[in-house]
Amino acid sequence: KQALVGLIGEVLHLPHQGQHLVAPDLQPLLVRGRVQEAHLSAALVEHAVHHVDRDRKRPTCRHGRSLIAEHHPDVARAMIERYIPADRGVNIVRKLVYTFHARIANRWREGRVFIAGDAAHSHPPYGGFGVNTGLEDARNLGWKLAATLRGQAGAGLLPSYAIERKKLAQRNTGYARRFADSVGLYPVTAELEDEGAAGQTLREQASAHFNAHVRLEFNIPGVTLGGRYDGSPVIADDGSESPADDANVYVPSAKPGGRPPHAWLSDARSLYDAFGRDWTLLVLAPHAKAVSLWKDSAQRRGVHLEVIAPPSAPWMALYDAELALIRPDQIVAWRGSGSDDPEPVWQRVLGHQS
């Protein structure tokens, strides 16, 4: 996959920037003999590598030894024999170095070609952000391509794809790096296996660290739901404050640029299930004339607009507005009052304003 990603970037002249991260691979190191998996994993994790020595232009292990030396069969055998007696006939059949990246393409478009997913950004595996980030790339780009082909979009809509998604890719890659460092940079010493009280204390400290790490890495609603497109030229920002970006905390906010706050409809459907395939207008206060204006404005532009009018009282408090306009990728594009003119809003959110 990495070779294909590199080929795409080379063909399209879309270079990446970031870091090349290396660690011994647990899977391709095949050992013949009666080996306990926990022992083998411990031997390898102790020598995990999470950075590149940029000055010497070669990967280095945490203890400063060259990765090339660490990769030598004698070195690998010595690592394993710390945990498994040599007389048990350990025979290394094959070994590889597991390589992953934290890189993001400088440009996400070349002419009529756009890149997304792994072609645009490579993540460390920690947190599992790669697929989610790639799917959101596709969703963001998809509706903008459709609007362009339908003649609805201004010149600024397609360029907003990279503006919005590159920022989120940088954010998610940063979180993945943080989680990788939490595991890979934890100090592992020989004293950890001491039978005495000192060893027990070190093991308890390691247990507390990694139990906390698991909760930090996998309980991440803030990463999954809290990404925002603040500063996007196709978001009608209202000047309100954005919620803090915290991996482990998601604060619902109807400020334009983020996901619409969720609530259940009176028929027990999720609000998200009621959104239209294209644009949706949430009517949170009785404004029949405003709804008519929005529908007429959308129709003149060839935009399909779904209208949802839930009970107003609790929803107005949730959205802090009388109306909210939701994009096809379920992002709040605008919120305001029933007296606002829809024309300049459409001009903004469809890329007709720079």
Side-chain angles (χ1 to χ4, degrees):
K1 183 177 76 172
Q2 291 173 359
L4 178 59
V5 169
L7 178 61
I8 293 172
E10 182 178 347
V11 170
L12 298 178
H13 305 290
L14 298 173
H16 288 62
Q17 286 186 340
Q19 290 184 297
H20 176 79
L21 309 171
V22 188
D25 191 351
L26 302 187
Q27 184 64 28
L29 180 56
L30 305 182
V31 181
R32 287 195 181 133
R34 299 180 61 187
V35 178
Q36 292 186 16
E37 181 180 355
H39 289 165
L40 178 60
S41 298
L44 294 174
V45 169
E46 179 176 348
H47 290 76
V49 179
H50 284 289
H51 66 276
V52 167
D53 184 333
R54 293 188 175 277
D55 294 333
R56 289 178 285 180
K57 304 299 182 185
R58 63 179 183 178
T60 59
C61 291
R62 185 169 55 224
H63 302 298
R65 293 189 295 270
S66 167
L67 181 63
I68 298 173
E70 292 289 347
H71 199 44
H72 191 278
D74 292 341
V75 177
R77 185 174 291 106
M79 291 166 54
I80 295 170
E81 288 178 355
R82 287 188 58 195
Y83 300 88
I84 302 165
D87 59 9
R88 293 181 61 177
V90 171
N91 177 34
I92 298 175
V93 178
R94 180 170 66 96
K95 58 187 178 61
L96 297 174
V97 174
Y98 172 47
T99 304
F100 56 89
H101 305 275
R103 301 189 304 182
I104 299 172
N106 295 339
R107 294 180 295 112
W108 292 36
R109 176 183 184 180
E110 181 64 29
R112 294 167 58 85
V113 180
F114 295 80
I115 59 174
D118 287 346
H121 42 78
S122 300
H123 302 252
Y126 300 89
F129 302 144
V131 171
N132 285 344
T133 307
L135 289 173
E136 289 184 348
D137 293 343
R139 194 169 194 186
N140 185 293
L141 179 59
W143 78 264
K144 293 174 181 178
L145 288 172
T148 300
L149 293 174
R150 293 169 183 163
Q152 303 164 356
L157 188 61
L158 286 179
S160 73
Y161 162 64
I163 294 172
E164 293 182 342
R165 293 306 305 161
K166 185 175 180 180
K167 179 181 176 182
L168 264 292
Q170 291 169 333
R171 164 190 183 262
N172 292 353
T173 301
Y175 277 128
R177 283 297 315 277
R178 182 188 305 178
F179 297 145
D181 288 345
S182 174
V183 173
L185 299 183
Y186 186 81
V188 177
T189 63
E191 289 76 18
L192 189 68
E193 297 184 10
D194 287 352
E195 297 294 336
Q200 179 64 26
T201 298
L202 289 175
R203 288 189 290 275
E204 289 175 356
Q205 291 173 350
S207 174
H209 173 83
F210 287 109
N211 272 294
H213 167 87
V214 168
R215 288 163 176 77
L216 288 174
E217 180 178 352
F218 297 108
N219 180 25
I220 49 173
V223 177
T224 306
L225 303 174
R228 298 192 52 82
Y229 297 146
D230 293 335
S232 167
V234 295
I235 293 293
D237 187 20
D238 61 5
S240 59
E241 185 176 354
S242 297
D245 189 13
D246 186 324
N248 307 110
V249 178
Y250 169 58
V251 179
S253 171
K255 173 182 169 62
R259 298 180 188 276
H262 177 265
W264 297 101
L265 299 173
S266 57
D267 59 4
R269 284 186 303 159
S270 163
L271 170 64
Y272 279 73
D273 290 337
F275 287 148
R277 289 186 59 186
D278 292 317
W279 292 82
T280 301
L281 183 68
L282 282 179
V283 182
L284 309 173
H287 275 294
K289 183 178 180 181
V291 171
S292 179
L293 288 174
W294 275 93
K295 285 183 174 180
D296 290 345
S297 180
Q299 187 174 24
R300 286 194 298 272
R301 295 174 178 276
V303 172
H304 177 75
L305 182 66
E306 187 80 20
V307 175
I308 301 176
S312 57
W315 288 74
M316 279 190 65
L318 187 63
Y319 278 79
D320 194 23
E322 297 178 343
L323 301 173
L325 183 65
I326 313 301
R327 299 191 331 187
D329 56 351
Q330 298 183 347
I331 294 293
V332 179
W334 167 88
R335 66 177 174 179
S337 72
S339 62
D340 292 333
D341 184 358
E343 288 300 322
V345 177
W346 286 120
Q347 287 285 107
R348 168 68 66 180
V349 301
L350 288 173
H352 293 279
Q353 294 180 352
S354 58

